[in-house]
Amino acid sequence: MPAVRRSFAVIAGTAVLAVPALAACSSDSGGGDAVKVVASDKKCEVAKTEWAPGKNTLKVSNKGSQVTEVYVYAQGDRIVTERENIGPGTSVEITFDIKAGDYEVACKPGMKGDGIRQTVKVSGVASEKPLDPRLAKAVADYRAYVQAQVDNGLPLVEQFAAAVKAGDTAKAKDLYAKSRYGWESIEPVAESFGDLDPKMDVREADLEPNQEFTGWHRLEKTLWTTGTLTAEDGKYADQLLADYKDLQAKVGTAEITPTSIANGAKELLDEVATGKVTGEEEAFSHTDLVDFDGNVVGAKKAFELLKPVVQEKDAALATQLAAEFAKIEAELAKYKKGDGYVSYETVGEPQRKELSDAVNALAEPLSKLAAAVAQ
């Protein structure tokens, strides 16, 4: 997760565990009219700052010395599209949908901060053919899936908050990862709304100057370090529950398009690579594999909804994605324990490398999903 958590408008490893930038070998094929973006350690050069509405493609080249991220922001820093983990000396293409309006392209060297930004304007009338009925169904079904994941998670968040307020450390520990699972499965959409994400899911290591440490990870630290819950923790639990209910009320308003579903699936794999497989996400509870599972389940759901169209337009890609999802699920299954997973502390370096390899093998073809849908 980047230090500054994102909104999403949808239209501690050793050398052997290091996860390579997943975008290094990926290339969303967006055609010859891609807008070139050159990202470096100090610049974000956008070759064309006036775009047409509808489907667009960015060709991003990282000429800097650090891994970078690139975002397209609408007003209020709502994300239209993004791509994380763009390694030095590599290029990626990102296909997405966009409406008329004013936007910013942000490059984030080191994947931190607000980024180096360039303004762009989208104007005119989109020349779009009617949406394929299968894709329209995918959008409707994905919207229903997101709402159901959030709705089903609410009772668990309520129980978790109640346990914290009651000072019941054992019960709160048991509910901690379970209360996060729905969030993890739809995280790109959960990041849609203002400051909800940094309030609910920021990691201590990612705090910006003067940013208050709140949300799940603030309570995780107490539970697995001192183990003594206080009235202050009760206030943090109340705030987490209030923020979750705010998310539940707003999630149905997120803009969702076929390409945003596809790009969201790739983002979920990036979340696995930058936090879960490295063991950095759950620094105190070591429940990273539960989050890992949630991200993979959410990404697979997105693929399955889009699969009828992808199968027609790029059958080889559909076959490859199905195979790689099966492989990563098989790797995860090795660490199942009851209705959850073993502590990530018990997973050795060679096994973490195997998980990392499975993530990378899936990420490369998954990066092509949006372009296949947009054909």
Side-chain angles (χ1 to χ4, degrees):
M1 297 179 186
V4 175
R5 302 289 303 191
R6 295 93 58 202
S7 54
F8 186 95
V10 194
I11 9 182
T14 62
V16 71
L17 300 180
V19 179
L22 296 185
C25 60
S26 67
S27 63
D28 296 342
S29 178
D33 296 326
V35 176
K36 293 182 179 179
V37 177
V38 177
S40 65
D41 295 341
K42 295 183 179 180
K43 293 183 179 180
C44 186
E45 300 174 281
V46 183
K48 183 179 179 182
T49 57
E50 293 186 2
W51 305 349
K55 289 183 176 61
N56 279 266
T57 298
L58 298 183
K59 183 172 184 178
V60 182
S61 299
N62 182 3
K63 302 297 185 181
S65 62
Q66 305 178 72
V67 175
T68 196
E69 303 173 320
V70 171
Y71 295 76
V72 178
Y73 285 118
Q75 291 184 343
D77 277 5
R78 293 174 64 85
I79 296 174
V80 175
T81 195
E82 66 171 291
R83 181 59 52 85
E84 302 177 9
N85 301 314
I86 306 172
T90 67
S91 297
V92 300
E93 292 189 5
I94 315 165
T95 300
F96 58 98
D97 289 279
I98 196 167
K99 296 180 178 179
D102 296 321
Y103 299 86
E104 289 182 318
V105 176
C107 305
K108 298 187 180 183
M111 302 199 298
K112 294 183 177 181
D114 291 333
I116 306 161
R117 302 195 177 200
Q118 298 292 325
T119 59
V120 298
K121 187 175 185 63
V122 179
S123 59
V125 178
S127 55
E128 291 286 336
K129 59 184 180 182
L131 186 62
D132 185 317
R134 295 170 298 177
L135 292 178
K137 184 178 186 302
V139 168
D141 289 349
Y142 187 70
R143 186 180 298 281
Y145 170 75
V146 169
Q147 189 69 61
Q149 291 296 91
V150 174
D151 291 348
N152 293 339
L154 179 59
L156 294 169
V157 178
E158 289 175 329
Q159 294 169 37
F160 174 65
V164 170
K165 294 185 69 177
D168 191 338
T169 299
K171 186 172 183 180
K173 281 185 171 182
D174 179 64
L175 288 163
Y176 170 74
K178 296 174 184 177
S179 73
R180 290 174 49 75
Y181 189 85
W183 168 281
E184 291 291 345
S185 68
I186 53 93
E187 196 165 357
V189 180
E191 293 169 353
S192 299
F193 307 102
D195 62 353
L196 282 178
D197 183 60
K199 287 197 299 182
M200 295 172 67
D201 198 35
V202 69
R203 300 182 307 196
E204 186 177 35
D206 294 335
L207 290 170
E208 292 290 311
N210 302 315
Q211 181 181 357
E212 185 180 6
F213 188 22
T214 60
W216 271 298
H217 294 302
R218 171 64 177 78
L219 296 168
E220 176 204 7
K221 182 178 181 180
T222 298
L223 288 167
W224 273 273
T225 54
T226 69
T228 302
L229 295 163
T230 66
E232 183 180 28
D233 294 309
K235 292 179 181 178
Y236 286 127
D238 281 338
Q239 185 60 56
L240 174 64
L241 179 56
D243 290 337
Y244 194 93
K245 288 180 177 179
D246 193 12
L247 169 66
Q248 182 189 36
K250 291 178 176 178
V251 73
T253 67
E255 288 188 59
I256 297 176
T257 68
T259 55
S260 73
I261 296 171
N263 286 327
K266 177 60 170 65
E267 184 186 340
L268 285 168
L269 260 290
D270 287 346
E271 290 284 347
V272 174
T274 58
K276 285 72 172 182
V277 81
T278 62
E280 297 173 81
E281 178 74 3
E282 305 293 354
F284 307 103
S285 66
H286 306 294
T287 55
D288 305 87
L289 289 173
V290 179
D291 294 353
F292 189 138
D293 184 280
N295 288 158
V296 171
V297 165
K300 185 179 180 181
K301 181 66 174 182
F303 163 60
E304 287 178 338
L305 292 175
L306 298 170
K307 187 176 178 180
V309 171
V310 179
Q311 183 70 45
E312 177 184 297
K313 296 185 176 182
D314 192 338
L317 177 62
T319 299
Q320 184 181 10
L321 282 169
E324 295 300 340
F325 269 114
K327 290 177 184 177
I328 203 168
E329 288 172 335
E331 285 297 321
L332 270 172
K334 296 176 182 179
Y335 307 103
K336 289 285 289 184
K337 183 179 180 182
D339 62 352
Y341 286 90
V342 301
S343 169
Y344 205 50
E345 282 187 306
T346 68
V347 181
E349 293 180 3
Q351 290 71 41
R352 293 189 184 197
K353 178 64 165 56
E354 289 173 355
L355 287 167
S356 174
D357 289 345
V359 170
N360 292 330
L362 173 57
E364 195 281 329
L366 198 58
S367 70
K368 301 175 182 178
L369 185 59
V373 168
Q375 286 181 23

